[in-house]
Amino acid sequence: MYTSASELQVAHSLAASGQPETGFFEIAKAFSKRPGFRLFTILRYDPAAALIRRIWTSHETEYPVGGAKPVSDTPWTRQVLESGLPYVGRNSEDIRSVFFDHELIASLGCASVLNLPVRWDGKIIGSLNLLHKAHHYDDVDPAELAIFVQMAIAGLNAVNLSSYG
């Protein structure tokens, strides 16, 4: 079986000090090569508080670590956070229909999204979120990114949600 250089780099980074940031940075580096992004965030799902909290971001100014979004009963929530299925938003209309912060997203030149839920022990614990120009993710198979999604588990589990307010 062949392991890509990106997969090896992320795997090695997970053994280094400075977790979970070190590992998340290398996952972002891998995603920057394939499938690419303009904005990348990692969110930790906190079902007890009905929030999804940002624990890593490529854009600290616009999307700071620690920021949270309320989770309500929507088709996106049911698909990503309950069923654990990826969501592909192909254009600005899709973004607008799902995210309340669609204007900020558009201001960063993003008009498509790929949300990749992270599952651990049968539960959704977070999501990896890539955003780019319109239709950027139309031909991306989320299954091809599964190795990096699973590599995020340790970092997501290491996060102490109580330290995020």
Side-chain angles (χ1 to χ4, degrees), residues 150-163:
Q150 294 309 108
M151 287 178 162
I153 289 172
L156 282 162
N157 279 335
V159 170
N160 179 358
L161 289 176
S162 64
S163 68

Side-chain angles (χ1 to χ4, degrees), residues 124-137:
I124 307 304
I125 61 170
S127 68
L128 308 184
N129 312 288
L130 299 102
L131 295 98
H132 211 300
K133 66 183 179 184
H135 301 285
H136 185 80
Y137 302 111

